[in-house]
Amino acid sequence: MDVKTLCLGLLSLGDACGYDLKKTFESSFKHFFPAGYGSIYPALADLANAGLVECTKVPQAGKPDRKVYRITDSGRRVFLDALNHTEPQHKLRSEFLATIYFADLLDTERLGVLLDDRLQKLRDTVAQIEHIEQEWGPETPAGARFVAGFGAEMAKAAAEYVETNRHLLTNASNGERISEIKAAAGG
Amino acid sequence: MDVKTLCLGLLSLGDACGYDLKKTFESSFKHFFPAGYGSIYPALADLANAGLVECTKVPQAGKPDRKVYRITDSGRRVFLDALNHTEPQHKLRSEFLATIYFADLLDTERLGVLLDDRLQKLRDTVAQIEHIEQEWGPETPAGARFVAGFGAEMAKAAAEYVETNRHLLTNASNGERISEIKAAAGG
DNA sequence: CAAATCATTATCAATCTGATATATATCAGC
DNA sequence: GCTGATATATATCAGATTGATAATGATTTG
């Protein structure tokens, strides 16, 4: 499932322009499927080309025309098919963990900042998810609730792990090793 | 931090060829920074071009020459700099959660399969991490332990969330809605 | 009133993914 | 002894994605 398919899925819930979709990605999908304009606009163009969505230009005073997309019957069929016959991936790409892997090469201060920043972002994620959850009514579909809950729980678990285990990364023998390696680097 | 920088980091721990690096990515980085040949080989070529690593061809009987890469002093400097001055990202891309978001459109069986498959993969991840942890001796750096533990704990928390909350995705009113929507799709 | 943000479009170079190709060696099982 | 899978090792390529950048006028904020 690529951004194109996800856009199609969102359009199955209601008409929208690229800007609207981007806002949905920011509010509901941010923590598990980030997407920027650079993928959304080409996706919409491709979908329209393939006849899976139709586009209507809506002029506005002062602002650029809204290009409102509506899913077609063919589009619905293609989306349902993707949903039912695609093996879904799930992958993390963490430069944070990659950096921590080399914790030996970081001085204590830098390490502290990295961990604190990450904790802050995890807390922000939880707050952001709980904020959108508060605005939901009883009609909000179960899937949306499930994925939001998942995001919040994962962020809490990650924060707890970092807090509980950060002491493992700072032991007395580090200062020495860093000096040696930096010397070898001829810095 | 891109694949290129991570390759440089791994080479700071010892000489290796592309194939070796790929194995390291599979064993230690799989759960938080996957990378394939398509990114590793170009990365090594770029690093060599920039003088951050040196390459020696080692002929072998029957197999292709090993191209063994060794980090240079300049390479070490560049890596330390990246480690200390890059804002590290951390992002999930989950087609699984995207699919579950549209749980209303899935029939019960498909939903069950998706959840069971995910649970199985989470358990595999835990097993794989615990397996590599068992092979470590006392000299294994703290960073490697920390990121492995992180991966295992996250996988456990994810599995627990799925098991505890999967019932929210299957309620009686679903059958009806699916039929309606499929009808609207003109399938 | 200046500065920032909102609303809306769009493009582009660099990077990454996933599949594919090539060639030989070994090893398990029939 | 053959067959098929797996391991060793290289590399490329089309398509997807990222992150930055650009334009332009309206409205909100300080």
Side-chain angles (χ1 to χ4, degrees), chain A residues 26-37:
Chain A
E26 285 303 316
S27 66
S28 300
F29 286 60
K30 196 178 186 186
H31 59 285
F32 69 89
F33 208 116
Y37 291 124

Side-chain angles (χ1 to χ4, degrees), chain B residues 16-52:
Chain B
C17 68
Y19 191 74
D20 296 334
L21 291 179
K22 169 70 167 154
K23 278 190 294 184
T24 302
F25 272 99
E26 286 303 316
S27 66
S28 299
F29 286 58
K30 195 177 188 187
H31 60 285
F32 69 89
F33 207 116
Y37 291 125
S39 33
I40 293 170
Y41 281 114
L44 288 172
D46 287 355
L47 290 170
N49 250 321
L52 306 182

Side-chain angles (χ1 to χ4, degrees), chain A residues 5-22:
Chain A
T5 308
L6 242 189
C7 288
L8 193 56
L10 290 178
L11 290 172
S12 83
L13 305 176
D15 299 351
C17 69
Y19 190 77
D20 296 334
L21 291 179
K22 169 70 167 153

Side-chain angles (χ1 to χ4, degrees), chain A residues 141-143, chain B residues 104 108 111 166-177:
Chain B
D104 294 7
T108 311
L111 184 58
R166 63 187 299 169
H167 72 277
L168 298 175
L169 295 172
T170 46
N171 62 57
S173 66
N174 256 8
E176 234 177 294
R177 288 184 65 182

